[in-house]
Structures are given as structure tokens and as C-alpha cells.
Amino acid sequence: MFTHNVVDFQDEFPAWRLYMLSEVIMSMCEVDAKNHRHLSHLYETTFRETAWGALYFALSGHAPESAERVAPRIQAVLRFWDSLQHGRYLHKKLNTFMSLEELMTAACGWAMDAWCPEGGASVPSRFRVAAERMANATREDCVEAILRQLPRILAFADRNKLNHPEVVMDSTTWREHLATLDATEFERISGVRPGAVLGSLYRWDRQLDVQ
């Protein structure tokens, strides 16, 4: 199964092409731009009831990536784990076939790191614990998860793009910063996906320029 288009160079090769489901979602936006968010949510909820739909939404990184929205995506994959683990997957590494466990760790391992840092007996069991904690997380739970992961996440920040690194790269100021975020902004990062947290860091840095 091709999960990402960067590894699909042979159109004639017989395989499932999971990444092409994104074209269906984009088409819905074109058909009804006004209500596309609502339609996309309904489509996701329905399609997660299939094995390939569950896997697609876990891997795709569709916003919002809040703890509330990521939890059912992971839980959906876990429901189909036994059937999905028989596949061979090509993700972002060329010519490297991955097992389901390797695929989910590569794409969603950040969820295990943030929400089940103590480890577990197996990858599925860690994802199960992480998803349950995400599903029941309060805002304070999300804040604590973000702060736990900050040292690891900040290591990937590009200092050359920052005008105020002494502020936004200081983990001690992040609790205060998180308290200032409105519900919508906080939702973007509550799942603790590193890319989303880094996006918030860069937005914060730009905001400091106009204060």
C-alpha cells in the first residue's frame, strides 16, 4: 500500500493508493466551500468505520490535530489492527516496506511519546493508553503533556527563522504562553504533535514583533 505520494513512481504497479483519498476531501471543498468543514467531519467520522479509512485519517495529519480529534483516529486503527497488520506499506522512505507497527510508529509515534512516555508491552498497547488519555484529557493535562515534550520539540526549531529565540525557546515561559491561547489556538496543539507545537512557536515569535 502506498500511503504517501512521494513513493509512488509506478502508476502501473498494482497496489492500494491510500494517499489518493485526499482528492476526495478536496473535491468536497470544491462542491460546497461554505460547508466543507462540516462535510469533511462527517466524511471522516463515517470513513473511520472502515479499515483503510481509519488508517488514512491516522496518517494524514488533517487538522484539527487536537487531543480530542486524534484520539478516535488512533482508536479506529486499533479496532482494525489485526487485519491491517497483514499489509506491506510504503510511507515516506523510498523502497522501504514497513509493517503496520513500523508505519504507525513513524507517523504517529509522537502520540505515544507525549501521552504514554512510560512505555508499554507493545506498540498497540502504548497507542491504546495514549489514545485513552488523549480522549479524556483536560486542558491542564494537555499543558502538562506539551511541557513534558518541549525539550525534545524545541531541538527541531530553526533558530535562523526566529527573531526572539531568547523568549520562545525558553521552556520556562511556555506555561505562561499557553495560558494566553484562546480555545481555537490551543486546540491546534493540544494533541502535542511536534509540527503543530513548532507552528505555534513561530506564530508566537511573529506576534512579539508587533507588541
Side-chain angles (χ1 to χ4, degrees):
M1 171 175 286
F2 294 116
T3 66
H4 199 280
N5 60 353
V6 298
V7 295
D8 189 4
F9 292 113
Q10 296 176 291
D11 294 340
E12 73 283 0
F13 191 74
W16 289 96
R17 289 172 166 81
L18 193 64
Y19 69 88
M20 295 188 72
L21 289 174
S22 62
E23 296 183 12
V24 177
I25 297 174
M26 293 302 297
S27 296
M28 287 192 296
C29 296
E30 296 172 0
V31 171
D32 192 343
K34 183 179 179 180
N35 297 308
H36 80 273
R37 291 183 185 276
H38 177 64
L39 292 174
S40 295
H41 176 65
L42 290 178
Y43 179 75
E44 175 179 342
T45 301
T46 301
F47 204 50
R48 280 204 313 259
E49 297 302 312
T50 69
W52 299 133
L55 186 60
Y56 171 76
F57 282 103
L59 302 179
S60 63
H62 277 299
E65 292 181 280
S66 63
E68 180 182 11
R69 290 293 291 273
V70 172
R73 292 170 179 172
I74 293 175
Q75 289 168 335
V77 173
L78 291 171
R79 288 197 299 273
F80 294 104
W81 192 273
D82 289 344
S83 58
L84 288 170
Q85 69 177 343
H86 297 296
R88 293 195 305 164
Y89 301 92
L90 281 168
H91 190 43
K92 294 182 180 180
K93 293 183 178 180
L94 299 179
N95 301 319
T96 301
F97 284 107
M98 308 175 81
S99 66
L100 176 63
E101 185 173 300
E102 292 168 333
L103 174 67
M104 286 293 292
T105 300
C108 306
W110 55 269
M112 291 192 295
D113 295 335
W115 294 96
C116 189
E118 69 273 20
S122 66
V123 168
S125 66
R126 285 191 71 194
F127 271 123
R128 190 168 289 106
V129 171
E132 182 177 354
R133 290 174 179 172
M134 296 172 86
N136 297 299
T138 63
R139 177 162 176 149
E140 186 56 34
D141 292 332
C142 295
V143 167
E144 294 304 321
I146 292 169
L147 295 178
R148 282 197 305 269
Q149 288 298 102
L150 264 182
R152 178 182 298 187
I153 295 173
L154 293 178
F156 292 96
D158 187 347
R159 285 180 172 269
N160 294 324
K161 295 182 179 180
L162 299 173
N163 295 323
H164 307 277
E166 71 286 353
V167 176
V168 300
M169 292 289 288
D170 183 357
S171 59
T172 62
T173 65
W174 266 82
R175 185 180 295 276
E176 181 179 347
H177 170 61
L178 291 172
T180 68
L181 299 181
D182 62 26
T184 299
E185 181 68 14
F186 188 80
E187 182 189 34
R188 293 181 182 180
I189 62 173
S190 64
V192 203
R193 180 176 178 271
V197 176
L198 286 174
S200 181
L201 179 148
Y202 295 127
R203 286 190 294 274
W204 180 20
D205 185 69
R206 292 193 296 270
Q207 290 167 2
L208 291 173
D209 286 333
V210 298
Q211 293 180 359

